[in-house]
């Protein structure tokens, strides 16, 4: 069973006004929460022109523009050449219309220095290269970010890409990843590729289903707050090490709360140099490592948030994760 640890109080309270009380919870809210809400917040293309796109050229034009845009993706945008990037510049919202908006065979790519981006209500799928389960022949992610800040990834479905589903890389800061479905994939969500310890990330109400590893893997995160996530039906290929749930690596400080792990090997683990606090989660038919040590940090010293009971997580996440018709672009 999971080991429990108690978080000791921190000496610095970062935003007491924001953390005073959790607000009423709106699962379809258009306002970023968690770390993406801090240091000025994440508003994407708010205030910019609203445009609707249904082809690669239009999506690339507006996503890469200098000025802010709210970009509504209607229907399927098929990307060519296979695996190509759509570069997303600062001050953009990219949001699917109803549940129809999808990007096929392509990646949303945020270059170093990109700031203030919202990616919501999309399906991004199918740049998988047959026979390359480990993603060694190319770097076709669904969403890749290098040294960015203020990004909110919310209510998307990501599946069957060539490498990672989400790569949050280098010295990225103030990121929230919420209510997404990450499905049928090897390397789901990797964080790190840096020796700096700067990244702050909130990861909540996501469904990792039929994935193998990086659910997520968080290397050298200053603060990684994971709550109310559902990790289930993990790929069972007999790999004793690289099939796992959450991994706090390097000098990461990770807090896991009220999550649900089902049919998972190594549901949560930590390097000896990392700190991992786990409280309130449910594990069912799990094996291997259930690590918890160190004090990590107290998320409520940074922001207010609503915790659902762990027992309710599978039902809630199955219902509310992924694209939703009720999300208004």
């Amino acid at each position: 069973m999971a080991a429990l640890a108690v978080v000791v109080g921190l000496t610095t309270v970062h935003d007491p006004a924001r953390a005073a009380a959790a607000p009423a919870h709106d699962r379809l809210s258009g306002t970023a929460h968690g770390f993406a809400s801090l240091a000025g917040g994440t508003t994407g293309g708010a205030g910019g022109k609203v445009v609707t796109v249904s082809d690669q050229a239009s999506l690339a034009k507006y996503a890469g523009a200098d000025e802010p845009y709210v970009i509504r993706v209607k229907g399927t945008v098929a990307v060519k050449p296979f695996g190509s990037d759509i570069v997303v510049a600062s001050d953009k919202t990219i949001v699917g219309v109803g549940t129809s908006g999808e990007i096929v065979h392509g990646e949303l790519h945020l270059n170093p220095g990109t700031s203030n981006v919202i990616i919501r209500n999309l399906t991004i799928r199918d740049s998988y290269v047959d026979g390359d389960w480990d993603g060694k022949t190319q770097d076709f992610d669904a969403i890749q970010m290098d040294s960015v800040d203020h990004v909110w990834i919310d209510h998307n479905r990501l599946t069957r890409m060539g490498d990672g589903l989400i790569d949050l890389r280098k010295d990225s800061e103030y990121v929230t990843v919420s209510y997404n479905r990450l499905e049928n994939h090897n390397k789901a969500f990797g964080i790190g590729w840096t020796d700096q310890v700067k990244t702050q990330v909130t990861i909540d109400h996501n469904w990792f289903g039929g994935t193998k590893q990086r659910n997520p893997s968080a290397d050298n995160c200053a603060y990684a707050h994971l709550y109310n996530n559902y990790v289930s039906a993990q790929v069972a290929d007999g790999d004793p090490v690289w099939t796992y749930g959450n991994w706090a690596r390097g000098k990461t400080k990770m807090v896991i709360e009220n999550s649900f792990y089902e049919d998972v090997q190594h549901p949560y683990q930590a390097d000896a140099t990392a700190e991992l606090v786990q409280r309130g989660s449910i594990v069912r038919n799990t094996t291997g490592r259930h690590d918890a040590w160190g004090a990590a940090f107290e998320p409520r010293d940074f922001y207010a948030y609503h915790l659902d009971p762990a027992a309710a997580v599978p039902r809630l996440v199955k219902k509310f994760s992924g694209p939703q018709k009720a999300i208004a672009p």
Side-chain angles (χ1 to χ4, degrees):
M1 295 298 293
L4 297 178
V6 178
V7 179
V8 299
L10 300 181
T11 57
T12 302
V13 176
H14 294 260
D15 196 342
R18 189 182 292 271
H25 193 50
D26 180 358
R27 301 183 195 281
L28 303 181
S29 170
T31 302
H33 60 279
F35 278 114
S37 70
L38 303 183
T42 302
T43 57
K49 185 176 180 181
V50 179
V51 296
T52 301
V53 303
S54 56
D55 63 88
Q56 180 178 352
S58 298
L59 175 58
K61 171 186 174 181
Y62 293 115
D66 291 334
E67 58 267 43
Y69 278 101
V70 175
I71 304 164
R72 304 166 75 248
V73 178
K74 186 174 183 180
T76 299
V77 174
V79 175
K80 296 180 181 179
F82 186 89
S84 296
D85 294 348
I86 301 290
V87 174
V88 182
S90 297
D91 305 318
K92 301 296 182 295
T93 296
I94 304 178
V95 56
V97 176
T99 57
S100 74
E102 61 177 11
I103 298 170
V104 181
H105 310 320
E107 170 185 308
L108 295 181
H109 187 96
L110 282 63
N111 286 318
T114 303
S115 178
N116 193 32
V117 171
I118 296 172
I119 300 170
R120 295 190 84 201
N121 217 45
L122 290 169
T123 293
I124 306 177
R125 63 175 176 87
D126 292 325
S127 67
Y128 177 69
V129 175
D130 286 341
D132 187 17
W133 175 239
D134 288 329
K136 298 296 187 182
T137 64
Q138 36 56 45
D139 190 22
F140 299 160
D141 300 324
I143 302 171
Q144 184 179 115
M145 302 163 279
D146 283 353
S147 297
V148 302
D149 69 89
H150 293 91
V151 177
W152 183 29
I153 299 171
D154 179 69
H155 280 99
N156 301 289
R157 175 176 173 258
L158 311 174
T159 183
R160 286 184 52 80
M161 300 303 287
D163 184 26
L165 296 179
I166 301 174
D167 273 9
L168 177 60
R169 298 165 26 131
K170 307 296 177 62
D171 300 330
S172 297
E173 297 189 87
Y174 300 112
V175 177
T176 296
V177 178
S178 55
Y179 288 97
N180 300 284
R181 294 190 178 195
L182 294 89
E183 301 176 337
N184 303 322
H185 196 74
N186 183 349
K187 302 171 182 176
F189 182 4
I191 308 167
W193 295 275
T194 177
D195 293 329
Q196 306 300 315
V197 186
K198 295 181 64 175
T199 298
Q200 312 97 340
V201 58
T202 301
I203 301 166
D204 71 278
H205 293 91
N206 300 285
W207 184 4
F208 298 85
T211 57
K212 173 179 165 66
Q213 58 180 305
R214 301 184 184 175
N215 298 292
S217 165
D219 187 24
N220 285 337
C221 282
Y223 305 109
H225 182 204
L226 286 61
Y227 68 93
N228 288 148
N229 295 296
Y230 182 37
V231 185
S232 71
Q234 186 180 58
V235 171
D237 61 359
D239 186 334
V241 176
W242 299 105
T243 302
Y244 61 89
N246 311 145
W247 193 343
R249 305 177 69 173
K251 296 181 180 179
T252 291
K253 293 183 178 180
M254 179 180 287
V255 174
I256 300 171
E257 299 183 282
N258 289 27
S259 292
F260 198 109
Y261 303 85
E262 188 169 25
D263 301 318
V264 176
Q265 174 182 271
H266 308 313
Y268 41 88
Q269 60 185 341
D271 290 351
T273 51
E275 298 181 29
L276 190 157
V277 166
Q278 189 291 122
R279 53 194 178 218
S281 298
I282 292 175
V283 294
R284 178 174 295 169
N285 191 30
T286 65
T287 59
R289 295 174 62 176
H290 300 66
D291 298 339
W293 49 67
F297 66 103
E298 176 47 62
R300 293 192 192 278
D301 286 343
F302 292 87
Y303 52 79
Y305 58 99
H306 173 89
L307 268 181
D308 289 307
V313 163
R315 174 180 59 84
L316 290 172
V317 169
K318 287 178 180 180
K319 181 176 181 180
F320 290 105
S321 66
Q324 305 285 314
K325 290 182 179 179
I327 290 179

